[in-house]
Amino acid sequence: PEKEDFARIQAYKQLFTISPKSETTVIELSVNASSPELAEIRLKALIETFQQRLVTLRAAETPSRSEFALKELEAATDALQVARTNLASFQTNASIVDGGAQTAGIIKTLGDLTNSQAQSIAQAQAERALAGNLSDQLSLSSEQALNLLRLNENKDYQFIQQELSETEAELVERQSLFTDDHPEVAYLLDQRDELRTQLNQYVGQVPNIGELADISVGDGTSELIQQLVVAETQATAFEQQAQQLQLTIDQLNSDLLTLPGKQANLDGLQQEYEAAKAPYRGLTAQLQEAKLSAFGAYPVIQVLDQPAADLRPSSPNKKFVGTGAMLACLAGTGALMLLLVSRDSLLSSEELLTPDL
């Protein structure tokens, strides 16, 4: 405002008074103008210009300090990503995260598996011994006992065997009354032979049974055969379990032998990762510090009190005017007296220089 009244910025600057408060961060501003409204406009313009200037300087401060760090951070980020990828890929492929913990875990697992294998072997031996005792009692191998049990559980075989028993019982009764030439006895003999033939056909379909087919399986014998079959089956199952446990134990022993080498590689990759992470963190902290330092160098300005105009005019000052008038009168009087003396002096210069006679 009123720009034409100020030929230079220095003259305009004289309108403003800046007074920092002692031992505080507060600055007091005041401005002179021809009217209160104009003074308020000038003061607000100064504050807004100052704040905008701080924003501009702060925005220019961060890139200038961060330009080099940003380039280094980009390279550090790439190196960190490569190290992280290599470490994760090795951990996945080698199935290792912490060699020490995994070694302890494998050793504990090996101990547990060894105990389980020993128990399986012991149980297999116990079941095998039980099967041997039952086999001796029945004079049958486990396979023969199983085949015999299956044969005696065949419904058709049971029916024919029942028919044969009834026929033989009736034959004995008839033979006690009649000779073998009697028609009834001859008919029973033929029927017995036919039933035996049918039984032999069923026996022939079952392997390893042979001459044992005529063994009659009662309730006690059937129970012993079932115990024999169960014991044999359990023994085989425990033996297979022990074999499977041995495979697992062998695999764990193999893994345990390779763990030291894997751990060495893992330690190297972890060191590379930590070495790549340190510059990244340092540069990140440096960038954050640069952002914060810009606010330290160029702080944020807040207006605590809104501009207020003093309705009393700062000029003209009556005391200054009176004093000036008195000084002007004295100066004018002195000048007038000097002028009068110079025109009509009591003694001329020649008279002053002439001596008395």
Side-chain angles (χ1 to χ4, degrees), residues 37-350:
E37 294 78 10
L38 182 57
E40 185 176 355
I41 291 174
R42 284 176 177 170
L43 192 57
K44 287 184 177 180
L46 175 63
I47 294 173
E48 291 176 0
T49 303
F50 186 49
Q51 289 179 327
Q52 185 60 40
R53 179 59 178 165
L54 288 176
V55 172
T56 303
L57 292 174
R58 194 182 301 118
E61 178 76 9
T62 301
S64 62
R65 295 190 179 188
S66 305
E67 182 177 0
F68 176 76
L70 284 173
K71 294 180 180 179
E72 294 296 324
L73 180 61
E74 184 178 354
T77 302
D78 294 338
L80 179 62
Q81 183 62 34
V82 171
R84 183 187 293 113
T85 301
N86 292 338
L87 178 60
S89 178
F90 179 79
Q91 288 177 331
T92 301
N93 296 332
S95 299
I96 182 173
V97 176
D98 185 351
Q102 288 182 253
T103 299
I106 290 177
I107 292 175
K108 182 179 182 304
T109 303
L110 282 173
D112 295 340
L113 291 177
T114 301
N115 293 334
S116 298
Q117 184 187 37
Q119 293 177 0
S120 297
I121 293 175
Q123 289 174 334
Q125 292 175 347
E127 295 293 338
R128 188 70 67 186
L130 177 60
N133 292 333
L134 293 173
S135 179
D136 292 339
Q137 292 180 22
L138 295 171
S139 299
L140 296 172
S141 66
S142 59
E143 185 178 3
Q144 290 175 331
L146 180 60
N147 291 335
L148 182 60
L149 183 62
R150 290 174 178 174
L151 179 62
N152 281 274
E153 290 179 351
N154 188 310
K155 300 298 182 180
D156 295 333
Y157 179 81
Q158 292 177 0
F159 176 77
I160 295 174
Q161 195 174 37
Q162 180 64 28
E163 290 289 329
L164 178 60
S165 299
E166 294 176 358
T167 301
E168 289 179 344
E170 186 178 358
L171 177 61
V172 170
E173 181 182 353
R174 294 300 180 184
Q175 284 180 337
S176 64
L177 299 175
F178 307 104
T179 63
D180 293 341
D181 294 335
H182 192 274
E184 292 184 5
V185 174
Y187 171 76
L188 292 174
L189 289 173
D190 292 339
Q191 188 176 9
R192 184 192 65 181
D193 294 339
E194 183 179 354
L195 292 173
R196 286 181 176 178
T197 301
Q198 292 179 4
L199 285 178
N200 291 332
Q201 290 177 354
Y202 281 103
V203 171
Q205 297 174 0
V206 181
N208 299 324
I209 198 68
E211 66 278 1
L212 299 177
D214 57 348
I215 295 179
S216 177
V217 179
D219 293 339
T221 303
S222 177
E223 183 178 354
L224 291 177
I225 290 176
Q226 291 177 358
Q227 293 178 3
L228 171 61
V229 172
V230 171
E232 189 71 25
T233 303
Q234 291 289 345
T236 302
F238 283 125
E239 289 172 351
Q240 291 176 350
Q241 183 178 3
Q243 293 175 358
Q244 186 63 41
L245 289 173
Q246 185 61 48
L247 293 176
T248 306
I249 290 172
D250 294 341
Q251 182 62 45
L252 289 176
N253 284 324
S254 177
D255 294 341
L256 189 61
L257 293 176
T258 60
L259 268 181
K262 291 181 179 180
Q263 182 63 41
N265 293 332
L266 179 62
D267 291 340
L269 290 173
Q270 285 179 336
Q271 291 176 359
E272 293 179 3
Y273 175 71
E274 293 297 330
K277 185 165 62 175
Y280 174 81
R281 287 182 173 177
L283 290 169
T284 303
Q286 183 177 346
L287 288 174
Q288 293 296 332
E289 183 180 358
K291 294 179 180 179
L292 294 177
S293 63
F295 283 91
Y298 305 104
V300 176
I301 299 299
Q302 294 180 341
V303 179
L304 299 181
D305 297 324
Q306 295 299 322
D310 189 353
L311 299 180
R312 295 178 300 173
S314 60
S315 64
N317 191 313
K318 293 182 179 180
K319 292 182 179 179
F320 290 160
V321 171
T323 302
M326 291 178 64
L327 291 176
C329 289
L330 291 175
T333 301
L336 182 60
M337 292 177 64
L338 290 175
L339 178 62
L340 293 175
V341 170
S342 64
R343 289 183 176 182
D344 185 16
S345 62
L346 297 176
L347 295 175
S348 63
S349 56
E350 292 81 1

Side-chain angles (χ1 to χ4, degrees), residues 19-28 50 299-302 304:
S19 304
K21 297 294 183 179
S22 178
E23 299 181 358
T24 68
T25 60
V26 178
I27 300 175
E28 186 180 82
F50 186 49
V300 176
I301 299 299
Q302 294 180 341
L304 299 181

